[in-house]
Amino acid sequence: RVQVPRTSFKAMRRLKASLIKEENIEITTEYIKLDQLLKFCGAAESGSMAKEFILNGEVYVNSEVCTARGKKLVKGDCVKFGDTKFHVC
């Protein structure tokens, strides 16, 4: 038998967190809607694609799944999609 070294859960979380890219998204308005942000930053090619990602529960706002595509994001909000975190500033 070949024994494979086990990696601790904490080590795996640290590794996964280190692979996440982070981007700052500057807005000049009071807020930006979630689907517009995904289009603006290039995460979605179209509004319908952004809608699909959001409704499928693939987008997190401030660490919680968000299925409201019209969610208003303000400065200080954090959106996670795939391996990227977008910070609204």
Side-chain angles (χ1 to χ4, degrees), residues 21-55:
K21 296 177 272 183
E22 297 197 24
E23 292 184 31
N24 289 329
I25 304 298
E26 293 186 33
I27 60 171
T28 56
T29 57
E30 185 179 341
Y31 64 87
I32 185 170
K33 291 183 180 180
L34 181 56
D35 58 345
Q36 293 173 340
L37 179 118
L38 293 178
K39 289 189 302 182
F40 177 74
C41 65
E45 293 178 13
S46 66
S48 60
M49 186 179 281
K51 178 182 175 181
E52 188 175 324
F53 291 143
I54 295 166
L55 293 178

Side-chain angles (χ1 to χ4, degrees), residues 6-23:
R6 298 184 128 208
T7 305
S8 73
F9 181 70
K10 286 182 182 178
M12 290 297 289
R13 288 185 73 185
R14 281 193 303 268
L15 176 63
K16 186 175 179 182
S18 69
L19 298 175
I20 293 178
K21 296 177 272 183
E22 297 197 24
E23 292 184 31

